[in-house]
Every structure is written in C-alpha cells, then in structure tokens.
C-alpha cells in the first residue's frame, strides 16, 4: 500500500522531531532483551527498505522492540555504492534519534587475481572506501556499533551467460578478508564485524585465528531463535566447520541474522520483508560494542579530485570479428590503486565511428580493468583510454592508444531459434523461514 502525501509528510515531520530531541543517554538506558529467545532484537536495511524512496519510521521500529539496525553504507561496485549513500546519512541520524543503535556494512566483491600482492592491495583499497564513508558521518559516536564486512560471494569472473566462471580459492578469500578487517581495525581502534553464512565460511575460507578474533555476524535461516537451545551454524547432523566453530560444534557468533522474511510493516519499514537479527549477549555486553569513538582527522576524509595516472598495460586487437581488449591500471599519487571510478575508450574526434562501439569495463581489482570494445571497423585507429570517477574522489586522467584492426571474414549467420514459452517458476523464498 502506498502512503498518501499527508502520511508521508507526517512521517517526515515525526522523523525531524526525533532527530532534534533524542540523546544518546536516552537510548542507552533502554536496551532490552525483548527479541526472540530473550535477546536484544535488531535488523539490517539497505535501499530495498526504501521502495520508491519511501522513508522508514524509526520511531515505530523502536516501539516494536528493535534496538539496533545495521545500515548498508558502502559497496565495491560504484553503482551499488551510490544506492547505499543515497539513504545512509538520513537513516543513521533518524535511527539514533529514535534511540536505536546503528552499525554499518560494506558489501565486498573480490578481485580476479591469485597474486597475494594484488589481493592485499585490493582489500586495503576497499577498506579505504569504507573508512572514507564512515568519515563522512563523523566517525563512530556513542550509539554506533562497528562496521561489518559483508563477505558472501567468492565469484570473481562472470561468464557471458551470467553464471560464475571463476571463484576465488579459499586461501585468497581468507587473505583478502583478514587484510580488510585488520586495515579497518587499525585505523578505527575498534574490531569490525564479519557477516557471512556458515556454508560460505566452510566452503570458501580456511580456518584462521586471524579471522576468528573478529566478531561474527552469522546468517542462518530456518532455525527459530525463540526455541530453547537454538543455535546457528548447525547441520541436521554435525555442524559447519569454519574459523568460529568451537570444539563442541557450536559457533562463536555475536549477531545472528535469523530470517530475511520479517514483516516489514510491523517495524515501520515500507514494503513487505526485512532482515531480522538477534544479539547473543546481555544488554551490558551489547553496550560495550559501542565503546571507543573514532573522530576522523582531515587526512581521513575522502579526497576531492585527487590526481590520477592512467597506464595501458596491454592492447590486443586483431580483426573486425574480435573484441579489442585493453588492460588498464589507474593509480593515486601514492602509487596505490584508485578506489572508485572506471575506464572507457574514446576515439579521436577526427575519425568518428558510427555507430559507436560497444564497451564494457570488467573490474579485475581496485584500479585494474580489462576494457572490451566491439564494433570497431577495419583500419588504423587512435584515441584515448580515459579514467573517470563520477563520485569526484579521483581526477580524470587518460593515456593515448593506437591500434590496427583487419577486416575479418564475413561471419555465417546463425539461424534464429524459435522462441519457447515456459510458465514462470514461482519460488517462495520465505518457505521454511521464520516470519516474525
């Protein structure tokens, strides 16, 4: 059901009033264990909880018993990162004004490399992106929980059909994760969380004491936390084995995302569903998670139009039937890779190509791309590989390029397959989940 304009205005006015009236001390005194299993109750949100830009009613969320909310704050992918930033500051301020503790998370996409130096460099660059984002909020305050690393996907290369063509090996996933987490911890002097599912942790990471020291936010559905002795990370027989698995087969978890099928409207969230979580410990232990504030210095703020250097590492061009490929790296003044932005090919204006070639930049790691360009006719061509960053963090830079394309054989047309109509498969994603 869509909100009427008057309802939207009323919600916005309520949010504004709460922002101006609530204080951290009011919120700290009301942490209660009224969630499933007598635990502190929470949720996590992103752009999906803002359908058509609708605001969240955090006052209603608080009244429904929610005491913490994890907000998506950053993403490896620039387009998804922009979606997160759209609501971050408003949600952060409004949630705390309603007396709700706030945490943050960064969705990670891993680099397509098994070179340890590249993997470490990429992890540090992505941690820097999240640190810059936290700095825009003023750092950690007394109602902030730590930032979390959302690590749930090891796919590093996608096929033309959209399926995963390559996964990062377990040792690379673990190296990348421990580097991101340690980089973030060192800067903020507070341990970040790691979010993942037990199956992913078992199959995609190696057991590591370096990982275990970071608090685990585990996603495991289909187990009701209100049931006595309910525990995530257990199988029908045995348990998932990963860095947080204990000797008795239980898991050392801090937060448990127990469903993705919470009844959104019950908690003041537009739409139908929302992720729900519980905290493992007592209210006093919960409050300790928000200890240790971090105020960013000027040097910690995201730069504006920072100079960059674009380098074309290789060019591969053959004939009109083949894609022209460029391998490109872009660095910051320190020599480190850029954190945001992408690359494209521009043809010299004296020799335009009509229709324009089709381009796609495939991210290999932070500051490293394979740029594929198709639709270039036969001839000798020159142009520029241009790096541009729509966020304004890094300055535009370019490098000249020349290449030759020969005329390829005329391809034999393939018969057009007859379209087949199949009835849509309806999947109930909430089947066997807790609806709360």
């Amino acid at each position: 059901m869509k909100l009427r304009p008057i309802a939207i205005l009323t919600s916005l006015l309520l949010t504004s009033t709460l922002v101006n009236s609530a204080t951290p001390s009011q919120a700290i005194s009301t942490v209660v264990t009224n969630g499933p299993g007598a635990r502190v109750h929470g949720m996590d949100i992103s752009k999906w909880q803002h359908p058509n830009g609708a605001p969240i009613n955090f006052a209603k969320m608080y009244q429904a018993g929610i005491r913490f909310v994890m907000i998506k704050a950053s993403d490896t992918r620039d387009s998804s990162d922009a979606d997160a930033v759209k609501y971050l500051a408003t949600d952060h301020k409004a949630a705390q004004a309603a007396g709700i503790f706030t945490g943050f998370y960064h969705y990670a996409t891993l680099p397509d490399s098994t070179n340890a130096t590249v993997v470490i460099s990429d992890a540090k660059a992505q941690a820097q992106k999240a640190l810059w984002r936290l700095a825009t909020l003023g750092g950690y305050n007394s109602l902030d929980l730590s930032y979390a690393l959302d690590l749930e996907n090891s796919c590093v290369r996608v096929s033309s059909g959209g399926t995963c063509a390559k996964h990062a090996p377990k040792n690379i996933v673990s190296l990348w994760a421990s580097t991101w987490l340690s980089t973030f911890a060192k800067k903020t002097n507070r341990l970040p969380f790691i979010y993942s599912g037990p199956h992913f942790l078992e199959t995609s990471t190696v057991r590591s004491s370096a990982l275990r020291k970071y608090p685990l936010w585990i996603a495991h559905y289909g187990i009701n936390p209100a049931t006595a002795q309910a525990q995530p990370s257990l199988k029908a027989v045995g348990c998932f084995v990963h860095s947080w698995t204990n000797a008795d087969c239980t898991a050392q978890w801090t937060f448990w995302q127990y469903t993705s099928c919470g009844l959104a409207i019950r908690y003041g969230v537009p739409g139908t569903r929302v992720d729900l979580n519980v905290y493992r410990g007592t209210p006093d232990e919960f409050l300790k998670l928000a200890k240790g504030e971090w105020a960013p210095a000027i040097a910690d703020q995201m730069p504006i139009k920072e100079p960059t250097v674009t380098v074309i590492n290789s060019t591969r061009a053959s004939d009109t039937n083949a894609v022209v490929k460029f391998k490109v790296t872009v660095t910051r003044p320190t020599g480190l890779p850029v954190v945001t932005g992408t690359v494209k090919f521009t043809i010299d204006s004296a020799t335009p190509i009509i229709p324009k070639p089709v381009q796609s930049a495939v991210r290999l790691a932070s500051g490293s791309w394979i740029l594929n360009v198709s639709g270039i006719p036969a001839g000798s061509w020159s142009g520029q590989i241009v790096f541009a960053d729509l966020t304004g963090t890094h300055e535009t830079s370019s490098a000249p390029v020349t290449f030759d394309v020969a005329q390829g054989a005329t391809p034999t047309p393939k018969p057009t397959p007859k379209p087949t109509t199949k009835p849509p498969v309806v999947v109930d994603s909430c089947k066997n989940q807790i609806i709360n």
Side-chain angles (χ1 to χ4, degrees):
M1 180 182 294
K2 295 182 178 179
L3 289 175
R4 295 181 179 179
I6 292 178
I8 295 174
L9 177 59
T10 302
S11 177
L12 290 172
L13 289 173
L14 176 60
T15 299
S16 176
T17 301
L18 288 168
V19 167
N20 293 325
S21 63
T23 64
S25 60
Q26 290 173 326
I28 288 175
S29 65
T30 57
V31 175
V32 290
T33 53
N34 58 355
R39 297 184 174 104
V40 181
H41 207 194
M43 69 169 54
D44 53 278
I45 59 174
S46 66
K47 72 166 187 175
W48 302 111
Q49 279 65 59
H50 291 278
N52 300 314
I56 293 173
N57 186 337
F58 288 99
K60 183 175 181 180
M61 184 185 295
Y62 182 88
Q63 292 164 3
I66 296 298
R67 291 300 182 266
F68 67 91
V69 59
M70 308 297 286
I71 308 170
K72 183 173 182 180
S74 52
D75 194 300
T76 304
R77 304 157 296 180
D78 284 352
S79 58
S80 297
D81 191 64
D83 288 335
V85 136
K86 186 175 180 181
Y87 302 104
L88 172 61
T90 301
D91 285 349
H92 177 242
K93 189 174 183 180
Q96 291 197 352
I100 300 172
F101 283 78
T102 52
F104 317 95
Y105 68 94
H106 172 85
Y107 183 88
T109 301
L110 301 178
D112 187 357
S113 176
T114 55
N115 182 301
T117 301
V118 173
V119 171
I120 291 170
S121 177
D122 181 79
K124 288 182 176 180
Q126 288 199 45
Q128 181 64 75
K129 189 175 195 177
L131 285 164
W132 281 339
R133 189 58 40 75
L134 181 59
T136 66
L137 299 174
Y140 287 136
N141 65 39
S142 60
L143 288 182
D144 281 328
L145 305 174
S146 291
Y147 224 107
L149 171 63
D150 181 347
L151 186 63
E152 54 185 287
N153 183 9
S154 64
C155 183
V156 296
R157 190 180 303 169
V158 178
S159 70
S160 57
T163 59
C164 186
K166 179 185 176 184
H167 288 272
K170 296 172 71 169
N171 65 314
I172 292 298
V173 176
S174 297
L175 173 62
W176 190 98
S178 60
T179 301
W180 192 102
L181 292 162
S182 63
T183 300
F184 212 93
K186 183 178 180 181
K187 186 65 180 178
T188 61
N189 200 30
R190 190 196 281 193
L191 290 180
F193 308 126
I194 180 169
Y195 166 91
S196 196
H199 181 267
F200 180 89
L201 292 173
E202 181 180 72
T203 60
S204 299
T205 66
V206 296
R207 298 186 71 180
S208 162
S209 58
L211 286 177
R212 185 181 172 90
K213 68 180 181 181
Y214 297 100
L216 175 63
W217 174 15
I218 192 166
H220 196 170
Y221 306 152
I223 303 173
N224 192 342
T227 303
Q229 307 302 319
Q231 286 283 346
S233 202
L234 295 177
K235 300 177 180 178
V237 177
C239 57
F240 293 94
V241 178
H242 48 72
S243 297
W244 292 266
T245 304
N246 298 321
D248 63 356
C249 214
T250 61
Q252 187 58 43
W253 57 274
T254 300
F255 292 107
W256 173 10
Q257 185 186 80
Y258 65 90
T259 184
S260 64
C261 295
L263 300 174
I265 196 67
R266 174 183 293 178
Y267 302 98
V269 177
T272 56
R273 301 175 184 173
V274 70
D275 299 337
L276 295 175
N277 305 264
V278 289
Y279 170 67
R280 181 173 190 154
T282 66
D284 285 343
E285 290 170 331
F286 177 86
L287 292 176
K288 291 178 182 178
L289 295 177
K291 283 190 174 180
E293 299 183 23
W294 175 64
I298 294 177
D300 297 318
Q301 301 291 341
M302 183 177 289
I304 300 174
K305 297 293 185 181
E306 180 184 62
T308 61
V309 176
T310 296
V311 175
I312 303 171
N313 303 111
S314 65
T315 302
R316 190 173 74 188
S318 55
D319 60 42
T320 52
N321 293 328
V323 174
V324 179
K325 292 181 177 288
F326 306 98
K327 187 172 183 180
V328 185
T329 55
V330 184
T331 53
R332 304 169 60 193
T334 56
L336 296 172
V338 293
V339 178
T340 52
T342 190
V343 293
K344 66 178 181 179
F345 169 68
T346 61
I347 194 73
D348 281 353
S349 57
T351 56
I353 298 176
I354 300 175
K356 291 183 178 180
V358 176
Q359 306 189 39
S360 66
V362 179
R363 179 186 179 278
L364 300 178
S366 295
S368 177
W369 295 268
I370 291 291
L371 178 60
N372 299 305
V373 185
S374 60
I376 296 181
S380 296
W381 304 100
S382 60
Q384 301 279 327
I385 301 297
V386 179
F387 166 77
D389 179 11
L390 295 179
T391 71
T393 304
H394 304 297
E395 182 62 275
T396 299
S397 62
S398 62
V401 64
T402 59
F403 57 93
D404 297 322
V405 175
Q407 179 61 52
T410 302
T412 303
K414 296 180 180 180
T416 303
K418 294 182 179 180
T420 57
T421 302
K422 294 182 179 180
V425 178
V426 179
V427 178
D428 181 6
S429 60
C430 286
K431 185 179 180 181
N432 300 324
Q433 283 208 48
I434 307 302
I435 299 175
N436 192 7

